[in-house]
Amino acid sequence: MRAAYASSFDDGNPLAALTVGERPAPETPDESWTVVDVRASSLNRHDLWSLRGVGLTEQQLPMILGCDAAGVDSGGAEVVVYPVIPDPGDPRGYSLLSENHPGTLADQVAVPRANLVPKPAGLSFVDAACLPTAWLTAYRMLTTRGRVTEGEAVLVQGAGGGVATAAVVLAVALGKRVYATSRDAGKRERIADLGATAVEPGARLSERVDVVIETVGAATFEHSLKCAAPGARIVVSGATAGYEAKVNLRRVFAMQLDILGSSMGTPEELAGLLMLCEEQGIRPVVDSVYGFSEAAGAFERLDSGDVFGKVVLDHTK
């Protein structure tokens, strides 16, 4: 079968470690697993980190990349793949597809049957394939962790990236006043088109917010603290610009702020996200769609840093 996989590691030039070619069809370890025919998949920064050797060892190569997919199961049902696999040997208690098990950037992927979530008929395979990682992360940050229903205003730091852009779209759809930062003027314009008030990093807001979606880290964390209303939740799922943030503890206790970590989500939350998208007509922001034969070009696009939204592979091409 066709697959995009890490055949080596290259920290300086991750694209040099990528191979697009033939791999054996997946095998299932037991009857609790099944094989999905992939119709569409999407790329994440996680895939580039894998090509750099983060989270993988030489002994695991070659490793098929990819966490996100939508396709058809062995019974003909259209499904979305939940990418989290229970793993007692991992400090997190789980691993993602493409870490200890082959990933989704292939014609087929083997997963536990419990990881299959029905795909709503109103969502295309391309749209559905965008949701299981970045969009699920954003959904959990806003709802379960951020308790966004208790507030009216949301700040999203570093919009333009996958999780942050998803958070903007979802928070707007949930009827919240949304502020979003970006260093790039062009991205700020696109963020505004999504319904948010787009501002430069560090800018003073017209109000304090109830939820902050923080994926940037040290570079923006002080601003996140200053923008938080009393009792606000600052939800952290990434640290792309530094993981050792300076925290003014006086502000934390005086304003009674919650600083919450968040990562991925549950199958039930993925089902809730899919339902929300179908019921409210929400569609993920798609940067570009490549045929699977153009997978190398899709990785180049992701690595360019100019992406706004998801880069998707159409496995039917």
Side-chain angles (χ1 to χ4, degrees), residues 1 3 42 51 77 81 94 141 188 195 265 280 286:
M1 66 174 183
S42 67
L51 292 170
V81 175
Y94 68 87
M141 292 176 77
R188 289 197 298 273
Q280 297 204 18
V286 175

Side-chain angles (χ1 to χ4, degrees), residues 93-213:
Y94 68 87
S95 63
L96 299 178
L97 289 172
S98 76
E99 292 180 346
N100 292 328
H101 302 278
T104 58
L105 303 189
D107 288 330
Q108 294 183 316
V109 61
V111 295
R113 296 180 189 275
N115 285 51
L116 301 184
V117 179
K119 181 184 77 65
L123 283 179
S124 69
F125 285 113
V126 165
D127 286 338
C130 297
L131 301 177
T133 299
W135 279 69
L136 177 58
T137 298
Y139 180 76
R140 178 177 174 82
M141 292 176 77
L142 285 165
T143 57
T144 306
R145 301 296 276 163
R147 308 191 309 275
V148 73
T149 54
E150 298 176 17
E152 294 300 327
V154 176
L155 169 63
V156 179
Q157 297 282 18
V163 174
T165 301
V168 168
V169 175
L170 291 171
V172 169
L174 292 168
K176 307 305 173 182
R177 296 186 297 276
V178 182
Y179 303 87
T181 67
S182 177
R183 293 176 298 175
D184 185 279
K187 289 184 177 180
R188 289 197 298 273
E189 183 175 342
R190 298 187 69 175
I191 292 164
D193 290 340
L194 297 176
T197 298
V199 299
E200 294 183 4
R204 185 180 181 90
L205 306 185
S206 59
E207 62 180 316
R208 295 188 186 275
V209 301
D210 307 292
V211 179
V212 180
I213 300 300

Side-chain angles (χ1 to χ4, degrees), residues 146-281:
R147 308 191 309 275
V148 73
T149 54
E150 298 176 17
E152 294 300 327
V154 176
L155 169 63
V156 179
Q157 297 282 18
V163 174
T165 301
V168 168
V169 175
L170 291 171
V172 169
L174 292 168
K176 307 305 173 182
R177 296 186 297 276
V178 182
Y179 303 87
T181 67
S182 177
R183 293 176 298 175
D184 185 279
K187 289 184 177 180
R188 289 197 298 273
E189 183 175 342
R190 298 187 69 175
I191 292 164
D193 290 340
L194 297 176
T197 298
V199 299
E200 294 183 4
R204 185 180 181 90
L205 306 185
S206 59
E207 62 180 316
R208 295 188 186 275
V209 301
D210 307 292
V211 179
V212 180
I213 300 300
E214 177 62 82
T215 64
V216 179
T220 58
F221 207 80
E222 182 178 2
H223 183 240
S224 294
L225 288 168
K226 290 180 177 178
C227 293
R233 284 76 65 196
I234 300 173
V235 189
V236 184
S237 71
T240 57
Y243 59 86
E244 293 186 341
K246 184 178 180 180
V247 179
N248 184 336
L249 293 177
R250 290 176 297 181
R251 184 177 292 272
V252 173
F253 66 72
M255 301 288 282
Q256 301 191 69
L257 305 178
D258 291 345
I259 299 175
L260 305 165
S262 190
S263 180
M264 292 298 294
T266 66
E268 293 75 19
E269 287 166 337
L270 178 56
L273 170 61
L274 290 165
M275 183 180 299
L276 178 68
C277 287
E278 182 173 51
E279 290 179 349
Q280 297 204 18

